[in-house]
Amino acid sequence: MPSSRDVVFVDGVRTPFGKSGPKGLYAETRADDLIVRVIRELMRRNPHLPPERIDEVAIAATTQIGDQGLTIGRSAAVLAGLPKSVPGYAIDRMCAGAMTAVTSVAGGIAFGAYDIAIAGGVEHMGRHPMGEGVDPNPRFLSEKLVDGSALIMGMTAENLHDRYPAISKARADAYAVASQEKVAKAYADNRIQPDLVPMATRKAAEGWGLATEDEPPRPGTTIEGLASLKTPFRPHGHVTAGNSAGLNDGATGSIIAAADAAAELGLTPKMRLVSYGFAGVDPEVMGVGPIPSTERALRLAGLSIGDIGLFEINEAFAVQVLAFLEHFGIADDDPRVNPYGGAIAFGHPLASSGVRLMTQLAREFGERPDVRYGITTMCVGMGMGGTVVWENLAWEGAK
């Protein structure tokens, strides 16, 4: 039986994220074409990696029908031109799909079943809205297994405000403005562009275009502007379109490898996977999910929250990030948290977001050799959280 091997994150890329809907970047672009573009870019950027050495392609999608169906990991691998000998599969853990794709192949690599895999996610919420085609079992409500609000994400965020009364709407709005400002600065400093792959777009009425940057960010967002937005999930509520991630389209991908295989092929890994944890919580307050999943991942790693020098936490809702920070005693404006901004500005194409977090953390690690450990973490629909602990391979203490 092979002993466990170190697993490393070699590279990550993504398409620019678009706004969902008829006016969005990808309104008439297929979902599978988005992930195919990402796979091809990963191969282009890593010419030392022979395509036949890829042992698995794990691609996540939350709504696995239409152009996001057909076992998209396999179908996208074929469409991307990988050898037919390379297998693939599809994953669904709602928002944590790409994160689960990474941890799933990482487990296979650590066990010795794979050397190198591609893991990522795609979500075209314009073509496939969250919940399309689902048929929730009536027992959920008739037997009171969950509260009626559990299946509506915005209502779960309002429930979180109830649970954390110190997190006011003004505080959530201030966090959202800061996220927009950090994304604008990251773009100005060319921190985001190196990991974006330009994506051809086409609309019947407009012809061809090229997506080269994210569509959702709203630079210049102000506290005053957010204060006036409607609260669609509850009268006089706290959750608005301004302090939440939007409905978005996009794809992400990464190369995950055994450390020894990466060294053999001359690949340069950016970070090492230390541990990961998933946890369940009450679905009606799904936003607290990252708290127990982070506690679990830290326990498995033998680390404490004080050991973490960078946090990439998905901003499904501002309140969900603030609840995490409050639990761990971290300030709302702690510079370790989402240094480049987050999903409130970038967007959150459900199953793809986990690898966006990883790609950004890897780039931040490269700029911060003083930081040894970081985490990527997110809340997940139906009451879950996921967290991955990473070690910075550029950490100066390792030399």
Side-chain angles (χ1 to χ4, degrees):
M1 182 67 67
S3 59
S4 177
R5 298 188 295 173
D6 277 352
V7 180
V8 293
F9 181 99
V10 173
D11 198 9
V13 298
R14 65 179 179 89
T15 67
F17 289 170
K19 294 180 180 177
S20 297
K23 295 182 180 177
L25 279 175
Y26 304 126
E28 297 174 41
T29 299
R30 291 178 59 96
D32 48 13
D33 285 338
L34 293 173
I35 191 65
V36 164
R37 182 74 181 95
V38 165
I39 294 171
R40 285 179 168 168
E41 177 67 5
L42 284 170
M43 300 310 297
R44 187 195 69 79
R45 283 170 49 133
N46 295 276
H48 295 305
L49 174 57
E52 64 274 11
R53 287 294 302 270
I54 296 167
D55 297 311
E56 190 69 273
V57 178
I59 302 299
T62 302
T63 308
Q64 296 194 8
I65 56 177
D67 55 349
Q68 288 182 180
L70 200 63
T71 313
I72 194 164
R74 171 60 173 173
S75 58
V78 172
L79 289 165
L82 295 181
K84 303 290 197 309
S85 57
V86 177
Y89 63 105
I91 285 180
D92 174 17
R93 201 200 291 263
M94 292 197 177
C95 308
M99 176 178 282
T100 303
V102 168
T103 58
S104 296
V105 300
I109 290 167
F111 181 76
Y114 312 136
D115 284 339
I116 299 167
I118 288 176
V122 60
E123 205 75 50
H124 198 310
M125 300 177 76
R127 293 172 77 96
H128 305 294
M130 183 164 52
E132 180 187 12
V134 302
D135 180 17
N137 195 302
R139 290 180 48 239
F140 278 123
L141 299 181
S142 65
E143 297 180 16
K144 295 186 169 52
L145 299 175
V146 300
D147 182 78
S149 62
L151 301 178
I152 301 170
M153 297 300 102
M155 291 178 72
T156 69
E158 290 285 8
N159 292 342
L160 210 51
H161 275 287
D162 294 342
R163 181 168 286 198
Y164 291 84
I167 302 177
S168 63
K169 180 178 181 297
R171 193 170 154 193
D173 286 350
Y175 181 88
V177 168
S179 182
Q180 296 281 0
E181 290 172 345
K182 286 191 283 187
V183 167
K185 185 177 189 309
Y187 259 103
D189 294 341
N190 200 43
R191 298 289 195 262
I192 307 303
Q193 296 91 324
D195 299 316
L196 293 181
V197 48
M199 180 72 201
T201 63
R202 191 175 191 284
K203 297 182 181 178
E206 300 172 21
W208 288 97
L210 189 66
T212 58
E213 61 182 38
D214 296 304
E215 188 178 24
R218 300 175 69 91
T221 297
T222 63
I223 295 281
E224 295 74 25
L226 294 188
S228 64
L229 295 178
K230 295 177 181 175
T231 57
F233 302 105
R234 188 184 292 181
H236 311 292
H238 298 80
V239 179
T240 71
N243 58 32
S244 313
L247 304 179
N248 305 105
D249 312 327
T252 63
S254 63
I255 296 172
I256 309 296
D260 54 357
E264 173 206 339
L265 292 171
L267 302 172
T268 306
K270 299 178 173 70
M271 52 190 189
R272 179 180 73 88
L273 198 157
V274 179
S275 69
Y276 64 87
F278 292 94
V281 297
D282 289 336
E284 48 269 26
V285 284
M286 64 99 196
V288 299
I291 294 171
S293 67
T294 297
E295 290 174 334
R296 177 180 178 83
L298 289 172
R299 184 176 74 250
L300 293 171
L303 299 172
S304 71
I305 199 74
D307 294 315
I308 304 304
L310 285 166
F311 297 81
E312 274 293 330
I313 178 168
N314 193 46
E315 298 171 354
F317 301 94
V319 63
Q320 153 254 319
V321 180
L322 295 170
F324 176 93
L325 299 180
E326 188 142 304
H327 175 85
F328 287 109
I330 299 169
D332 293 7
D333 59 353
D334 191 303
R336 297 174 297 168
V337 178
N338 293 3
Y340 295 169
I344 287 171
F346 287 120
H348 174 30
L350 303 180
S352 68
S353 285
V355 166
R356 178 189 66 78
L357 301 176
M358 295 171 193
T359 300
Q360 289 188 198
L361 180 64
R363 187 141 307 266
E364 291 155 10
F365 270 165
E367 296 173 2
R368 295 289 306 276
D370 57 310
V371 171
R372 183 173 186 182
Y373 296 111
I375 65 170
T376 51
T377 186
M378 59 202 315
C379 62
V380 189
M382 284 299 289
M384 292 182 285
T387 303
V388 187
V389 179
W390 300 93
E391 182 179 26
N392 184 5
L393 293 177
W395 178 55
E396 58 198 9
K399 296 179 177 62

